[in-house]
Amino acid sequence: MLKSKTFLKKTRTGGVLKIVREHYLRDDIGCGAPGCAECGGAHGGPALEPQPQDQASSLWPRPHYLLPDTNVLLHQIDVLEDPAIRNVIVLQTVLQEVRNRSAPVYKRIRDVTNNQEKHFYTFTNEHHRETYVEQEQGENANDRNDRAIRVAAKWYNEHLKKMSAENQLQVVFITNDRKNKEKAVEEGIPAFTCEEYIKSLTANPELIDRLACLSEEGNEIESGKIIFSEHLALSKLQQGIKSGVYLQGTFRASRENYLEATVWIHGDTEDNKEIIVQGLKHLNRAVHEDVVAVELLPKSQWVAPSSVVLQDEGQNEDDVEREEEREHMLKTAINEKMLKPTGRVVGIIKRNWRPYCGMLSKSDIKESRRHLFTPADKRIPRIRIETRQASALEGRRIIVAIDGWPRNSRYPNGHFVKNLGDVGEKETETEVLLLEHDVPHQPFSQAVLSFLPKMPWSITENDMKNREDLRHLCVCSVDPPGCTDIDDALHCRELKNGNLEVGVHIADVSHFIRPGNALDQESARRGTTVYLCEKRIDMVPELLSSNLCSLRCDVDRLAFSCIWEMSHNAEILKTRFTKSVINSKASLTYAEAQMRIDSATMNDDITTSLRGLNKLAKILKKGRIEKGALTLSSPEVRFHMDSETHDPIDLQTKELRETNSMVEEFMLLANISVAKKIHEEFSEHALLRKHPAPPPSNYEILVKAAKSKNLEIKTDTAKSLADSLDRAESPAFPYLNTLLRILATRCMMQAVYFCSGMDNDFHHYGLASPIYTHFTSPIRRYADIIVHRLLAVAIGADCTYPELTDKHKLADICKNLNFRHKMAQYAQRASVAFHTQLFFKSKGIVSEEAYILFVRKNAIVVLIPKYGLEGTVFFEEKDKPKPQLIYDDETPSLKVEGMEFHVFDKVKVKIMLDSSNLQHQKIRMALVEPQIPGISVPDEISNVDVNEPEEKRRKLKK
């Protein structure tokens, strides 16, 4: 049956266009209930159960299916995802509304409907002849959709009766809309609110905690006192932003001070790029990362960023007077130059709430169900939740979602989502750091895995099209020990003309991941593989990352090769790119490759190839450094794990060999060669990587620190910085140069991906290269997959697709990749910090030599070379008399009770684990030497291992 609508539309040119919309109605759409003779199994995919037994509801004890409306799906998705809720009918009307209103919830509901164990069935009511409804005159779209849902529910109940006379199976309608519920009951449809229904499931009382509290009136604090001003309507905000009365920006809360935030204004305005918001009422219920509208305050009310550290530790949620006292602390006597544009939040344009990890702060009131939840992220306010399982959740990491923030509530309202496990447990803490850094880490879905090649896999004749056979070459890979995702392999051989041929062969991941499919979309979303201390979160499924794409030895693998003809002086004479097939002759570690190069007896083909590569790499590196490339330093640590418990038993800084540098040189060369080629072919839409030059002010700390040791660091160009770092040597203090390079790293800007058509500045400051990209790690970086696709089109080895040549789409991809790379970096640091805590937990208190990296007003930041560990030594402690501190910003130096500290001074510190705050355990450091009465701690802790021989212990004591 065909329904059609015809209407006329006026075009820009003044013509009239007749538009006919056709809507097909069918009789063969299945109801989803197995054994339904009338439908005859017309439904495909996951179906409902014939006799649902699990939902034992005291309100509706008979077997039933659930049919929720749009708002229940949008707001109660945490409840619907629970294993206890099964046999749910999701209408097409509801699914379309959810898709339009919330992409994340839509994705979650699609995942649930694809899970066969949940028995969720999607019913296409909009195309079923008996359930389709047309919009009536004077009826708005919302009312029409509500009616369509009721019509479908009524049809289901009549339809299910036909299955068998004794069958009492019915559909229960779940809605939080009072009017819709009343109409449903009038029409004879069993209907309940979500809360009523969930509370009736006596066998699953824990589900009540997962209910989102939506009725703001019922959940407001009893006092009813209005704390915050009302948020303006979106239409008013948009008018105000257009007229310039309000400014739109992203709200960034402070980690140090819960009463202060910064709003980063959107757009290109140079003035008022950042606006400070201070005080509870001015913050007006905005949460970190929300998009807000702010009103700029008059200059007389501008403030300076506060130097006070304030943590929200209050238990009494109504104590707003106390907040006002604390706000006065922020307003210190300040120089007018320090005042910054200041504003107040007048409305929320877009909430960017996510589920938050943290811990429950149990209420002091006995039998209370209302408790405060403290998020692990200090930028998020505490959240009030109602739970019956507070005692069971104490000392555990949990996830909570925010539901709303009423005007008369000091904190937002939320609901319990999930219990992650005990605080301090390795699996729990790993899950927390992945969630908090927004690292996608769920197992790959069936839809994604369906695009993997079928096993056993082998190279076919079709795969060999546009591909060179390079299996005869002596190719080998050099990687860290235990590496299974081998992206790159190398070869070097002498040609008949006396020149050298060098090849970099990169895994051909883009052969397996085709544009636009589910596997490609998931890889793009993840953006990068994340390496934690003992876990790897893959960007692509393991079948590709550790097998079919990994360039393991003695197996045929597809590759993308970059091959140069070079002179013995590393001059590039020719460059060519080709898709290829290779067979690696050896998978070596850096140490094994180094051993071969250094060996006097080994002269096989692999070793000869490695020696040739190493010789050329040294020349290439020398040439790069002469151009001004920087050799910076950062203390990287490696944990040695216990083979059974997987706890860290040793902590060392990573040792770098010549072979590390050898591989790096050829990867850099391949990346630069490919960048030139893709920009030549696609000047507007090449995906490139740039590293901006830091502003001069970034270098102040480095220049001052070097000056305090009578050394000069020049920072006008990358070359002058590199040269002055090379000259900054001190025979009496050999580690000084490394410290300077570590400090120089801290002055740098972040390197970012960008689209060539959207930017003019391509320069990579750190590498001193005019153009650069990423090509050499497609197993672990999505940027490289895009670059492979661009290069394949450039050499005619693959066909293009629309998104590849759309610079706006490419710019969006770059934005996501930059975010994912930054988050991966933070997650890796958090993993190192957690494993360091585990190490010192088992090791106990130790004393070690350290060097000062930064001098603060009341502390020194030190680096311990032995462990590559950084920490802060505070000179002011709670409940202790304050020492005399004199801080000099110019030198910089800090005088503590007459003892002066400068950057790079050598000190001795005691390292211990501070577990006083369960949620934020941290490494604490205390000064041992130089000795300052009342400040230094005694060094009675011995570093000697009790299992060491007595003779060795005596030597150490001398």
Side-chain angles (χ1 to χ4, degrees):
M1 184 180 165
L2 179 68
K3 291 257 180 189
S4 64
K5 274 185 185 175
T6 308
F7 55 93
L8 303 173
K9 184 183 175 186
K10 199 171 182 182
T11 64
R12 280 184 183 176
T13 52
V16 174
L17 197 65
K18 184 180 180 181
I19 293 174
V20 179
R21 285 217 177 124
E22 293 181 339
H23 189 89
Y24 289 88
L25 299 180
R26 298 166 55 167
D27 297 316
D28 59 349
I29 294 169
C31 67
C36 175
E38 203 165 310
C39 296
H43 48 264
L48 303 158
E49 285 181 298
Q51 282 294 316
Q53 298 299 331
D54 31 45
Q55 286 135 335
S57 165
S58 57
L59 282 173
W60 201 263
R62 286 171 291 185
H64 57 276
Y65 299 135
L66 296 179
L67 193 149
D69 73 357
T70 308
N71 283 324
V72 170
L73 235 66
L74 277 170
H75 302 298
Q76 306 293 355
I77 182 70
D78 288 323
V79 172
L80 294 171
E81 283 177 331
D82 193 279
I85 303 294
R86 291 145 51 114
N87 294 297
V88 175
I89 297 161
V90 181
L91 297 180
Q92 180 189 2
T93 310
V94 170
L95 207 53
Q96 283 171 345
E97 277 197 286
V98 169
R99 187 179 193 169
N100 293 335
R101 286 169 62 182
S102 172
V105 173
Y106 177 74
K107 188 189 179 300
R108 285 169 73 181
I109 208 71
R110 291 304 304 181
D111 289 344
V112 174
T113 50
N114 288 330
N115 180 352
Q116 307 241 349
E117 291 170 13
K118 291 280 285 172
H119 298 283
F120 272 51
Y121 179 66
T122 308
F123 178 60
T124 358
N125 64 308
E126 295 289 353
H127 288 279
H128 195 290
R129 190 203 291 265
E130 292 180 47
T131 58
Y132 172 72
V133 299
E134 286 197 52
Q135 194 167 343
E136 292 172 354
Q137 211 169 353
E139 185 178 44
N140 65 31
N142 202 35
D143 289 343
R144 180 260 165 208
N145 287 346
D146 284 348
R147 188 162 57 86
I149 295 167
R150 291 196 307 277
V151 165
K154 198 170 183 181
W155 174 84
Y156 253 106
N157 281 336
E158 286 166 7
H159 180 79
L160 292 172
K161 272 182 199 168
K162 295 174 191 171
M163 276 174 65
S164 66
E166 67 277 359
N167 189 358
Q168 294 190 334
L169 196 54
Q170 272 194 299
V171 162
V172 171
F173 179 40
I174 306 292
T175 178
N176 288 332
D177 183 330
R178 191 166 45 82
K179 281 184 184 170
N180 203 8
K181 186 188 161 196
E182 284 167 6
K183 283 180 183 173
V185 173
E186 277 170 27
E187 291 167 22
I189 304 163
F192 305 106
T193 67
C194 193
E195 195 172 335
E196 285 169 348
Y197 182 79
I198 294 301
K199 284 182 175 174
S200 78
L201 300 178
T202 47
N204 301 94
E206 75 285 349
L207 277 177
I208 298 167
D209 290 352
R210 301 186 74 172
L211 278 169
C213 46
L214 298 169
S215 56
E216 291 199 339
E217 307 107 52
N219 289 296
E220 288 175 355
I221 45 180
E222 281 69 18
S223 70
K225 184 183 171 187
I226 300 292
I227 303 169
F228 300 102
S229 55
E230 200 170 344
H231 287 151
L232 298 181
L234 196 58
S235 54
K236 277 190 179 173
L237 295 177
Q238 285 164 341
Q239 278 174 0
I241 289 162
K242 213 172 181 181
S243 63
V245 177
Y246 306 134
L247 296 164
Q248 177 178 324
T250 304
F251 184 88
R252 300 270 164 84
S254 162
R255 269 197 179 88
E256 273 75 43
N257 187 338
Y258 74 100
L259 291 174
E260 186 171 282
T262 307
V263 175
W264 289 74
I265 301 305
H266 299 170
D268 304 321
T269 51
E270 279 310 306
D271 306 334
N272 308 333
K273 197 83 182 147
E274 286 177 44
I275 290 178
I276 288 180
V277 182
Q278 234 179 49
L280 200 62
K281 290 176 183 178
H282 285 173
L283 295 170
N284 198 4
R285 298 171 286 156
V287 176
H288 182 66
E289 291 295 344
D290 282 351
V291 178
V292 299
V294 288
E295 179 183 42
L296 206 58
L297 296 173
K299 277 198 173 179
S300 59
Q301 292 178 39
W302 284 15
V303 297
S306 170
S307 56
V308 181
V309 175
L310 278 184
Q311 299 297 331
D312 182 9
E313 289 157 359
Q315 265 299 334
N316 182 358
E317 31 189 286
D318 304 343
D319 196 357
V320 179
E321 284 75 20
R322 184 175 142 276
E323 308 294 0
E324 287 168 5
E325 277 173 39
R326 299 189 103 184
E327 281 171 30
H328 286 303
M329 286 170 65
L330 307 180
K331 296 172 176 44
T332 46
I334 32 163
N335 186 330
E336 264 191 40
K337 284 180 189 170
M338 292 166 75
L339 294 176
K340 294 272 173 75
T342 308
R344 66 183 188 98
V345 173
V346 291
I348 309 291
I349 292 159
K350 184 173 181 271
R351 287 287 193 192
N352 276 324
W353 295 339
R354 59 178 174 84
Y356 300 105
C357 299
M359 291 178 74
L360 199 67
S361 307
K362 202 173 159 209
S363 171
D364 295 337
I365 305 162
K366 239 186 172 184
E367 303 299 316
S368 175
R369 283 188 195 167
R370 196 175 274 176
H371 307 273
L372 280 176
F373 161 82
T374 307
D377 187 340
K378 290 181 179 176
R379 295 168 300 189
I380 306 299
R382 296 161 96 189
I383 302 162
R384 194 192 306 109
I385 66 166
E386 284 197 29
T387 177
R388 295 145 199 267
Q389 22 176 357
S391 301
L393 296 177
E394 250 193 315
R396 312 201 74 160
R397 294 275 194 187
I398 64 172
I399 298 178
V400 162
I402 298 180
D403 299 322
W405 196 339
R407 287 177 61 198
N408 55 357
S409 171
R410 168 68 185 83
Y411 297 109
N413 293 326
H415 66 272
F416 167 77
V417 175
K418 192 180 176 187
N419 180 353
L420 294 173
D422 288 334
V423 108
E425 270 189 9
K426 205 179 305 172
E427 290 74 21
T428 306
E429 295 303 329
T430 301
E431 179 78 1
V432 168
L433 74 87
L434 290 170
L435 287 166
E436 282 301 293
H437 293 98
D438 199 6
V439 174
H441 60 287
Q442 285 71 29
F444 290 98
S445 70
Q446 218 40 59
V448 169
L449 298 174
S450 68
F451 286 96
L452 291 174
K454 303 289 172 275
M455 296 301 283
W457 174 85
S458 60
I459 296 168
T460 64
E461 208 174 300
N462 202 34
D463 294 335
M464 291 305 293
K465 280 183 187 170
N466 302 320
R467 203 176 279 280
E468 262 185 67
D469 191 339
L470 302 179
R471 284 176 280 202
H472 60 282
L473 293 176
C474 186
V475 171
C476 69
S477 63
V478 185
D479 289 283
C483 178
T484 60
D485 52 344
I486 303 169
D487 285 291
D488 53 87
L490 301 153
H491 89 270
C492 175
R493 63 172 182 167
E494 196 158 335
L495 298 170
K496 286 174 184 171
N497 62 8
N499 290 330
L500 296 171
E501 180 188 82
V502 175
V504 163
H505 310 277
I506 304 300
D508 189 4
V509 182
S510 63
H511 173 84
F512 297 96
I513 300 181
R514 302 311 294 164
N517 69 23
L519 177 56
D520 181 45
Q521 287 170 0
E522 182 60 20
S523 307
R525 186 174 81 90
R526 293 184 177 220
T528 178
T529 291
V530 181
Y531 295 89
L532 305 180
C533 290
E534 51 165 331
K535 191 177 184 178
R536 189 179 83 202
I537 314 294
D538 281 326
M539 179 185 82
V540 299
E542 195 178 9
L543 179 66
L544 296 182
S545 66
S546 296
N547 187 351
L548 301 185
C549 290
S550 184
L551 305 181
R552 305 189 301 193
C553 62
D554 302 323
V555 285
D556 293 351
R557 287 290 177 257
L558 301 180
F560 211 148
S561 302
C562 175
I563 299 167
W564 303 277
E565 187 177 324
M566 288 185 177
S567 71
H568 285 265
N569 293 328
E571 283 174 81
I572 297 169
L573 308 169
K574 275 184 201 165
T575 305
R576 70 187 183 91
F577 306 99
T578 179
K579 289 226 172 188
S580 60
V581 181
I582 63 163
N583 187 304
S584 172
K585 305 298 180 276
S587 296
L588 307 171
T589 64
Y590 290 117
E592 287 166 347
Q594 192 66 55
M595 192 184 73
R596 279 175 176 263
I597 290 167
D598 298 340
S599 167
T601 54
M602 294 180 87
N603 289 301
D604 57 282
D605 289 350
I606 294 168
T607 309
T608 310
S609 176
L610 286 168
R611 285 184 187 136
L613 288 165
N614 198 38
K615 183 182 159 222
L616 290 169
K618 286 178 179 174
I619 301 167
L620 287 169
K621 187 172 185 176
K622 189 168 177 275
R624 270 195 323 108
I625 288 168
E626 277 169 9
K627 282 183 188 165
L630 299 172
T631 311
L632 301 178
S633 182
S634 62
E636 283 195 70
V637 294
R638 165 162 283 146
F639 293 93
H640 293 273
M641 301 292 182
D642 184 293
S643 57
E644 285 181 22
T645 64
H646 296 285
D647 284 341
I649 46 175
D650 198 8
L651 178 60
Q652 292 175 338
T653 46
K654 287 183 187 173
E655 185 188 343
L656 294 178
R657 294 180 171 84
E658 234 178 44
T659 43
N660 290 71
S661 181
M662 175 190 84
V663 173
E664 187 187 1
E665 282 310 312
F666 287 107
M667 296 307 119
L668 293 175
L669 188 61
N671 286 336
I672 292 166
S673 300
V674 170
K676 287 175 182 168
K677 178 70 180 173
I678 62 171
H679 184 246
E680 230 169 73
E681 291 289 329
F682 305 104
S683 59
E684 284 290 295
H685 28 78
L687 190 152
L688 303 174
R689 188 163 174 82
K690 67 170 181 175
H691 182 214
S697 59
N698 278 30
Y699 286 125
E700 273 179 21
I701 186 125
L702 175 69
V703 173
K704 284 178 182 177
K707 198 177 173 187
S708 71
K709 296 290 177 221
N710 299 318
L711 294 168
E712 188 187 14
I713 297 286
K714 290 186 174 171
T715 61
D716 42 341
T717 64
K719 174 94 178 96
S720 58
L721 174 64
D723 290 346
S724 51
L725 281 170
D726 286 342
R727 286 194 299 271
E729 296 282 356
S730 167
F733 186 3
Y735 196 65
L736 176 65
N737 193 264
T738 307
L739 286 169
L740 282 165
R741 288 180 196 275
I742 289 170
L743 212 52
T745 308
R746 307 293 165 89
C747 303
M748 294 298 143
M749 305 289 282
Q750 188 76 39
V752 289
Y753 296 111
F754 69 101
C755 170
S756 59
M758 309 286 273
D759 211 318
N760 300 321
D761 175 24
F762 293 8
H763 192 75
H764 197 293
Y765 180 79
L767 297 172
S769 176
I771 193 165
Y772 191 66
T773 194
H774 272 162
F775 164 76
T776 55
S777 293
I779 295 176
R780 58 188 179 87
R781 289 189 305 233
Y782 188 74
D784 303 52
I785 292 178
I786 296 285
V787 169
H788 276 228
R789 288 174 182 167
L790 288 163
L791 184 62
V793 175
I795 64 168
D798 207 341
C799 49
T800 185
Y801 58 99
E803 284 80 6
L804 194 65
T805 51
D806 181 333
K807 63 181 183 182
H808 297 286
K809 290 254 170 74
L810 212 55
D812 288 342
I813 289 172
C814 290
K815 189 180 174 185
N816 178 55
L817 292 178
N818 291 329
F819 170 72
R820 291 290 179 210
H821 277 263
K822 186 170 73 175
M823 285 300 148
Q825 220 175 6
Y826 291 164
Q828 284 154 6
R829 285 180 201 164
S831 179
V832 168
F834 173 64
H835 280 78
T836 306
Q837 287 170 16
L838 285 181
F839 172 69
F840 283 107
K841 193 177 184 178
S842 61
K843 197 166 177 68
I845 302 170
V846 297
S847 295
E848 287 296 344
E849 284 184 346
Y851 294 100
I852 298 176
L853 272 185
F854 303 103
V855 175
R856 304 276 187 241
K857 286 180 182 175
N858 62 345
I860 53 173
V861 179
V862 299
L863 174 78
I864 297 155
K866 181 177 175 180
Y867 299 127
L869 181 66
E870 206 177 294
T872 307
V873 178
F874 288 99
F875 294 119
E876 286 181 336
E877 282 190 55
K878 266 185 190 176
D879 312 322
K880 282 195 176 178
K882 287 191 177 181
Q884 188 196 8
L885 301 175
I886 303 166
Y887 175 69
D888 178 2
D889 187 33
E890 278 309 302
T891 324
S893 68
L894 177 69
K895 227 179 223 179
V896 183
E897 296 287 333
M899 174 69 71
E900 200 160 4
F901 292 97
H902 296 90
V903 177
F904 303 144
D905 282 359
K906 192 176 184 180
V907 293
K908 192 173 189 182
V909 295
K910 190 180 279 188
I911 312 160
M912 63 207 100
L913 180 67
D914 178 4
S915 305
S916 57
N917 181 336
L918 259 184
Q919 174 137 268
H920 297 110
Q921 295 188 36
K922 55 180 183 280
I923 300 291
R924 271 193 63 198
M925 294 190 184
L927 190 71
V928 175
E929 287 172 14
Q931 289 181 355
I932 305 170
I935 301 285
S936 302
V937 292
D939 184 19
E940 72 270 351
I941 306 298
S942 166
N943 270 351
V944 181
D945 191 324
V946 288
N947 300 321
E948 279 177 349
E950 187 61 37
E951 191 183 328
K952 190 176 173 188
R953 267 191 253 171
R954 274 201 301 274
K955 275 183 190 171
L956 281 166
K957 280 179 187 172
K958 284 175 186 174

